[in-house]
Amino acid sequence: MSRSFEKKPARTEGETPVLRNAFQPWHLLVVLVVCLLVFGSKKLPDMARSLGRSMRILKSEARALRSEDARTDGP
C-alpha cells in the first residue's frame, strides 16, 4: 500500500464545492411551513415583530461600537 504525500489541490476542475448551493428557496418554504405548524398562525406575527425589534437593537449597538472605536482610534 503506497501513500502519496503530495498535496492535493483544494478543488479539481469540474468539481463543485460542497456547500455551493446549500440553501435553496424551497428550504425557506419548508422552514416557514414548519414554523407555522409548530407555533401557529396567531403567534407568528408577534414573533416576527420581536425579531425585528431585536435586530434593530443589535444594529444600533453595533453602529455605536463602531463609532466609539473610531473616536478612540483618532488623533
Side-chain angles (χ1 to χ4, degrees):
M1 182 160 88
S2 69
R3 292 187 180 180
S4 174
F5 292 103
E6 295 176 18
K7 189 172 183 173
K8 183 180 176 185
R11 186 172 52 142
T12 60
E13 268 187 59
E15 187 179 319
T16 58
V18 176
L19 294 174
R20 183 172 182 205
N21 294 322
F23 190 71
Q24 297 290 322
W26 66 270
H27 290 124
L28 184 61
L29 182 66
V30 170
V31 168
L32 289 174
V33 168
V34 168
C35 285
L36 184 63
L37 290 173
V38 170
F39 297 111
S41 62
K42 297 207 184 253
K43 282 196 170 190
L44 282 180
D46 293 334
M47 290 174 58
R49 200 172 299 118
S50 67
L51 179 66
R53 199 173 299 133
S54 299
M55 291 300 293
R56 255 182 273 136
I57 291 170
L58 179 66
K59 193 176 181 180
S60 68
E61 291 294 326
R63 192 178 300 127
L65 277 173
R66 274 188 295 222
S67 67
E68 184 177 302
D69 284 345
R71 275 187 266 139
T72 59
D73 291 342

